[in-house]
Amino acid sequence: VTVATHQHGGDAASKAKAQTRLRKIEGQVRGLQKMIAEDRYCPDILIQISSTQQALRAVSKMLMRDHLQHCTTKAVRASDETAAEVYDELIDLMYTYSK
Amino acid sequence: VTVATHQHGGDAASKAKAQTRLRKIEGQVRGLQKMIAEDRYCPDILIQISSTQQALRAVSKMLMRDHLQHCTTKAVRASDETAAEVYDELIDLMYTYSK
Amino acid sequence: VTVATHQHGGDAASKAKAQTRLRKIEGQVRGLQKMIAEDRYCPDILIQISSTQQALRAVSKMLMRDHLQHCTTKAVRASDETAAEVYDELIDLMYTYSK
Amino acid sequence: VTVATHQHGGDAASKAKAQTRLRKIEGQVRGLQKMIAEDRYCPDILIQISSTQQALRAVSKMLMRDHLQHCTTKAVRASDETAAEVYDELIDLMYTYSK
């Protein structure tokens, strides 16, 4: 099992919380479609897109915290090699995929 | 009718394109829920969140272009007052709501 | 004179304000060098980098406001062609060069 | 010595590299002042601000890598408490201070 396919159960509570948020975000995306269909004022739609992006960022933050507490801890304590792998991934997530 | 409630039909083609993209984004958000349910590796989920955010950004860019071409042009040509209102909104969208 | 080389004097007051802010930013960048030379705690340096970026963003916002009020207004009122050019530039600044 | 004041020497080579980059960034900020003094076209100045921000981001990435390799590894291996402290800091750096 490599780091890339390693899984953790995370916190059942935090998983449920992420799902609730994602369902709300799904609703926001449907709301955006409705706003466009209704020909709403563009800046109002753009503000709603921004709000959807903020909501996704909150989910990302929650998952990142889980990732640090579980996978990162395990990898850093296992060996310098697995620590290096997990750090490369973190740097990518922070600087390539952030936002 | 104030600037805030002013509407424009936009381009029917660009409206259809935005709807297609938003439906795809809705699917991406459902995909994120599936990834969490399946206990997928956190960084993989985080990369998918980033991809969803990029997709929202592309819709935002498309709507902003419409907004400039239609509402902004009309407001700037109407008077210095309506121009100032539309610029305040643009500054907010760029620096407060951007991303 | 094309849009790309067109200049405007802007507001003398806002120009002076931008210069004051940039001198302060220059000092912040020298402060960062000092922090590294003194082997300060990395997260403290990272927070100072973030603060420098916020300060640059504030200058950018100020210049963007000038650009909208002066160049954009002139271009949008001149013709549909010069309006289109200035909008293409704005879209680039917002979505390619923003942050 | 708490985590907040803990220092590490980092890599002398990476420290020198960060200093070189910061001196170049200092020059870019002076260049921005010159552009404003010369009344250069706003979008050109805005693109240079964006370039300066990208350069700061590259320094941040370099320092973050050092921070992970040195301080984070030490804290994560020391105890669950020091690991939790360093993760809280990382989450802040990623989601509050990241640009």
Side-chain angles (χ1 to χ4, degrees):
Chain A
V1 175
T2 69
V3 167
T5 59
H6 173 76
Q7 296 175 5
H8 72 80
D11 199 318
S14 97
K15 233 172 106 164
K17 205 170 159 188
Q19 293 291 37
T20 304
R21 287 185 183 223
L22 284 169
R23 273 191 296 271
K24 203 186 145 215
I25 290 167
E26 200 191 318
Q28 283 181 285
V29 177
R30 271 195 298 268
L32 287 168
Q33 294 169 53
K34 199 162 163 281
M35 288 180 93
I36 287 176
E38 289 171 353
D39 229 356
R40 295 279 294 279
Y41 188 53
C42 287
D44 292 341
I45 307 179
L46 290 167
I47 288 170
Q48 280 310 306
I49 289 180
S50 165
S51 152
T52 309
Q53 286 173 315
Q54 286 304 108
L56 280 168
R57 191 167 163 84
V59 175
S60 163
K61 185 176 175 177
M62 187 183 304
L63 296 176
M64 179 60 89
R65 190 172 281 280
D66 266 14
H67 176 59
L68 291 172
Q69 280 166 347
H70 298 95
C71 306
T72 305
T73 302
K74 194 178 292 182
V76 172
R77 291 180 180 168
S79 76
D80 285 354
E81 286 69 30
T82 51
E85 275 184 75
V86 95
Y87 292 152
D88 282 346
E89 250 179 12
L90 279 176
I91 290 284
D92 266 5
L93 290 170
M94 288 181 215
Y95 292 91
T96 308
Y97 295 108
S98 116
K99 287 204 193 183
Chain B
V1 176
T2 68
V3 167
T5 58
H6 173 76
Q7 297 174 5
H8 72 82
D11 199 317
S14 96
K15 233 171 106 164
K17 207 171 159 187
Q19 293 289 39
T20 304
R21 287 184 183 224
L22 284 169
R23 273 191 296 271
K24 204 186 145 215
I25 290 166
E26 200 190 318
Q28 285 181 283
V29 177
R30 273 193 299 268
L32 288 168
Q33 295 168 55
K34 198 160 165 282
M35 288 179 93
I36 286 175
E38 290 170 353
D39 228 357
R40 296 278 295 278
Y41 187 54
C42 287
D44 291 341
I45 308 180
L46 290 168
I47 289 170
Q48 280 310 306
I49 290 180
S50 164
S51 153
T52 309
Q53 286 174 315
Q54 285 305 108
L56 280 168
R57 192 169 162 83
V59 175
S60 162
K61 185 176 175 176
M62 187 183 303
L63 295 177
M64 178 60 89
R65 190 172 280 282
D66 265 15
H67 176 59
L68 291 173
Q69 280 166 346
H70 298 95
C71 306
T72 305
T73 302
K74 195 178 292 183
V76 173
R77 290 180 181 169
S79 75
D80 285 354
E81 285 70 29
T82 52
E85 275 183 75
V86 95
Y87 292 151
D88 282 345
E89 248 178 13
L90 279 176
I91 290 284
D92 266 5
L93 290 169
M94 287 181 214
Y95 292 91
T96 308
Y97 295 106
S98 117
K99 286 202 196 180
Chain C
V1 176
T2 68
V3 167
T5 59
H6 173 75
Q7 297 175 4
H8 72 81
D11 198 318
S14 95
K15 233 172 106 164
K17 205 171 160 187
Q19 293 290 39
T20 304
R21 287 184 182 226
L22 284 169
R23 274 192 296 271
K24 204 188 144 214
I25 290 166
E26 200 191 319
Q28 284 181 284
V29 176
R30 272 194 298 268
L32 288 167
Q33 294 168 56
K34 199 161 162 281
M35 289 180 93
I36 286 177
E38 290 170 354
D39 228 357
R40 295 279 293 280
Y41 188 53
C42 287
D44 292 341
I45 308 179
L46 291 167
I47 289 171
Q48 281 310 305
I49 290 181
S50 164
S51 152
T52 310
Q53 285 174 316
Q54 285 306 108
L56 280 168
R57 192 169 163 84
V59 176
S60 163
K61 186 176 174 177
M62 186 184 304
L63 296 176
M64 178 60 88
R65 190 173 281 280
D66 265 14
H67 176 57
L68 291 173
Q69 280 166 346
H70 298 95
C71 305
T72 305
T73 302
K74 195 179 291 185
V76 172
R77 290 181 180 168
S79 75
D80 286 353
E81 285 69 31
T82 51
E85 275 184 76
V86 96
Y87 292 151
D88 282 345
E89 249 178 13
L90 279 176
I91 289 284
D92 266 5
L93 290 169
M94 287 182 218
Y95 292 92
T96 307
Y97 296 105
S98 117
K99 288 205 193 179
Chain D
V1 176
T2 68
V3 167
T5 59
H6 173 75
Q7 297 175 5
H8 72 82
D11 198 318
S14 96
K15 233 171 106 164
K17 206 169 159 189
Q19 294 289 38
T20 304
R21 287 186 184 222
L22 283 169
R23 275 191 294 271
K24 205 187 145 214
I25 290 166
E26 199 190 319
Q28 283 182 284
V29 176
R30 274 194 296 269
L32 288 168
Q33 295 168 54
K34 198 161 165 281
M35 288 180 93
I36 286 176
E38 289 170 352
D39 227 357
R40 295 279 294 278
Y41 188 54
C42 287
D44 291 341
I45 307 178
L46 290 167
I47 288 171
Q48 280 311 305
I49 290 180
S50 163
S51 153
T52 309
Q53 286 173 315
Q54 285 306 109
L56 280 168
R57 191 169 164 84
V59 176
S60 162
K61 185 176 174 176
M62 187 183 303
L63 296 177
M64 177 61 88
R65 190 173 282 281
D66 265 14
H67 175 58
L68 291 172
Q69 279 166 346
H70 299 94
C71 306
T72 305
T73 302
K74 193 177 293 184
V76 172
R77 290 181 180 168
S79 75
D80 285 354
E81 286 68 31
T82 51
E85 275 184 74
V86 95
Y87 292 152
D88 282 346
E89 247 178 16
L90 279 176
I91 289 284
D92 266 6
L93 290 169
M94 288 181 213
Y95 292 92
T96 306
Y97 295 106
S98 115
K99 284 205 194 176

